[in-house]
Amino acid sequence: MGETFIPLADLRYAAERPRIPEHAAPPSGLLADRLGRPLRDLRISVTDRCNFRCSYCMPKEVFDKAYKFLPHDSLLSFEEITRTARLFVAHGVGKLRLTGGEPLLRKNLEVLVDQLAALRTPAGEALDITLTTNGSVLERKAQALRAAGLKRVTVSLDALDDAVFRRMNDVDFPVADVLRGIDAALRTGMAPVKVNMVVKRGTNDHEIVPLARHVRDAYGPGVILRFIEYMDVGATNGWCMDEVLPSAEVVQRLSQVFPLEPLQPNATGETAERWRYLDGGGEIGVISSVTQAFCRDCNRARLSTEGKLFLCLFASRGHDLRALLRGGCSDEQIAAAIGLIWSEREDRYSELRGAGTAAAGSGERRVEMHYIGG
Ligand code: SAM
Ligand code: SF4
Ligand code: SF4
């Protein structure tokens, strides 16, 4: 017998071909997992490539010239992504987030935005579509993305100080270009623009107040700054708890300079805890993925660049939807498979980590952030 050739990229994370149940009811939008959590949010990674090498995500030593990124034909096409998104929408998803890698490196991304913006929920409503980007080419792309139907954007920015920022992206990329990207997004009318800062104790925690001050002074309430706890995603970033600055400390440090009061969440399952400047300077958010698990309301699914469905950011095993998409399955069959996968979901990694019982897993390598998206 001849050898079966399996491209290396397909071997990096285990994925099962999903089972198609025989007598599934059509999607009702009422799908719930084993812990009663609905499916509301789909994060779609459109590329595993990135022009930055943030050490907490794609450390240079691992993601070097020899690293094999996914070959182009293994990526889902825009049509495949839109078809999959439509089936998730039928199951209750109302929010889509494009991510990566760096999503703006995927050629003609505005064409995908245009296709996704045409989707409607069963009630006939447009979807909430957003994008997370490192901002490096946002200045150039903002107008086309807005014209295609992107209404809001999240830009990652870990420091205002140029030297600190260049060190953190590890490719010597200047902060001024990202700030121009934010300006460009605001000029197109995208709102709100959110800015995400991953805080690493000892690396950029001294930038919390300067960045907050800059966002308040330069933009006012039109830009929402969010502080993210450094997470133990993947297996390459050498994470240790000592480098996590708890959100409570972020709020404490900020409120010494700019007094804050808590705000109610906008929606169930929202990852950020909201705070408001007492002087009317706008709001900030803190995302406490490490110190305060929010698995109980987690309604997010993630679709990898090559069409594998992951039910948790810390999963090591995906569900190979691409096999169904390219295997001649009907929409009904794929929707039924998605329904079954979600109904069996019981992931709650952060809660277990918090309780000190996080299983190191089955020994399988956990999925990397640049592959699955944030
Ligand atoms: N390249 C885009 C960007 O940086 O915005 C999108 C993909 S990136 C993986 C999505 C988000 O994940 C970013 O805001 C990034 O800062 C965050 N992120 C990556 N690794 C992280 C980690 N170890 N802990 C916390 N956040 C992380
Ligand atoms: Fe690239 Fe975003 Fe990861 Fe930084 S966080 S390496 S910008 S994918
Ligand atoms: Fe959701 Fe997994 Fe994060 Fe918990 S650890 S909030 S289940 S993605």
Side-chain angles (χ1 to χ4, degrees):
M1 257 188 9
E3 270 182 65
T4 316
F5 173 71
I6 304 172
L8 182 65
D10 286 342
L11 288 174
R12 52 184 84 180
Y13 303 112
E16 291 154 14
R17 186 188 163 96
R19 201 155 59 76
I20 300 175
E22 268 176 32
H23 304 293
S28 61
L30 299 174
L31 191 59
D33 71 6
R34 285 211 174 127
L35 305 177
R37 298 169 297 187
L39 173 55
R40 294 283 179 261
D41 182 329
L42 180 64
R43 303 187 170 195
I44 304 169
S45 173
V46 293
T47 178
D48 60 337
R49 290 163 202 258
C50 187
N51 53 344
F52 283 12
R53 286 294 178 272
C54 311
S55 62
Y56 53 71
C57 178
M58 295 180 78
K60 237 178 188 167
E61 314 75 64
V62 179
F63 299 93
D64 56 10
K65 280 209 177 74
Y67 186 83
K68 295 252 180 314
F69 288 97
L70 295 168
H72 193 265
D73 62 357
S74 75
L75 270 52
L76 290 192
S77 68
F78 290 167
E79 287 68 28
E80 287 171 328
I81 292 175
T82 305
R83 180 180 177 206
T84 310
R86 185 182 300 115
L87 302 176
F88 275 89
V89 170
H91 274 303
V93 162
K95 185 170 167 187
L96 302 177
R97 177 178 296 277
L98 300 179
T99 175
E102 174 44 45
L104 297 186
L105 295 188
R106 179 88 185 247
K107 247 197 200 154
N108 303 324
L109 190 73
E110 59 280 8
V111 174
L112 175 63
V113 171
D114 185 60
Q115 291 177 14
L116 296 174
L119 297 179
R120 291 291 173 271
T121 67
E125 285 163 10
L127 302 176
D128 177 10
I129 305 174
T130 184
L131 168 90
T132 304
T133 172
N134 63 23
S136 56
V137 295
L138 185 57
E139 186 183 21
R140 208 156 17 91
K141 302 281 270 176
Q143 188 54 50
L145 291 165
R146 180 70 191 89
L150 189 72
K151 296 211 179 71
R152 54 197 197 88
V153 70
T154 299
V155 182
S156 302
L157 178 60
D158 295 333
L160 184 63
D161 180 88
D162 193 51
V164 178
F165 185 67
R166 285 176 191 255
R167 231 184 354 264
M168 286 191 79
N169 63 54
D170 214 10
V171 292
D172 209 27
F173 195 87
V175 75
D177 289 23
V178 178
L179 296 175
R180 276 204 301 277
I182 295 173
D183 293 341
L186 288 167
R187 273 199 306 278
T188 67
M190 288 192 211
V193 171
K194 292 183 182 166
V195 171
N196 276 358
M197 172 183 181
V198 174
V199 184
K200 271 183 95 173
R201 193 196 287 275
T203 301
N204 65 340
D205 56 324
H206 59 292
E207 284 288 295
I208 293 171
V209 171
L211 188 57
R213 178 175 287 117
H214 175 77
V215 169
R216 282 167 50 97
D217 291 351
Y219 310 115
V223 174
I224 300 174
L225 178 59
R226 294 144 23 119
F227 300 91
I228 306 179
E229 286 177 353
Y230 170 40
M231 281 187 285
D232 49 336
V233 276
T236 57
N237 63 11
W239 182 89
C240 75
M241 191 65 200
D242 294 350
E243 288 184 304
V244 178
L245 187 86
S247 294
E249 216 173 311
V250 172
V251 171
Q252 192 205 351
R253 286 195 199 179
L254 267 178
S255 51
Q256 280 168 5
V257 187
F258 307 115
L260 291 163
E261 68 175 6
L263 281 172
Q264 288 300 315
N266 279 322
T268 318
E270 197 170 61
T271 48
E273 183 184 292
R274 301 169 61 214
W275 292 79
R276 189 179 80 85
Y277 292 120
L278 282 179
D279 67 1
E283 71 174 82
I284 60 140
V286 288
I287 302 179
S288 317
S289 337
V290 177
T291 60
Q292 256 189 317
F294 35 75
C295 301
R296 195 154 307 143
D297 294 321
C298 179
N299 51 23
R300 295 177 289 283
R302 294 178 160 87
L303 186 63
S304 80
T305 315
E306 51 181 345
K308 291 176 184 165
L309 173 63
F310 289 86
L311 304 179
C312 175
L313 195 49
F314 298 91
S316 46
R317 216 160 242 280
H319 303 265
D320 189 3
L321 293 186
R322 192 187 63 186
L324 307 186
L325 290 163
R326 296 188 181 171
C329 293
S330 66
D331 282 356
E332 290 71 24
Q333 287 176 311
I334 302 176
I338 294 170
L340 179 63
I341 293 167
W342 189 265
S343 67
E344 291 180 341
R345 173 186 189 241
E346 48 189 8
D347 301 65
R348 52 189 186 106
Y349 175 86
S350 290
E351 245 176 49
L352 298 174
R353 179 222 289 117
T357 53
S362 47
E364 286 172 331
R365 198 151 69 88
R366 282 209 313 249
V367 69
E368 294 291 334
M369 192 79 153
H370 74 102
Y371 166 82
I372 199 178

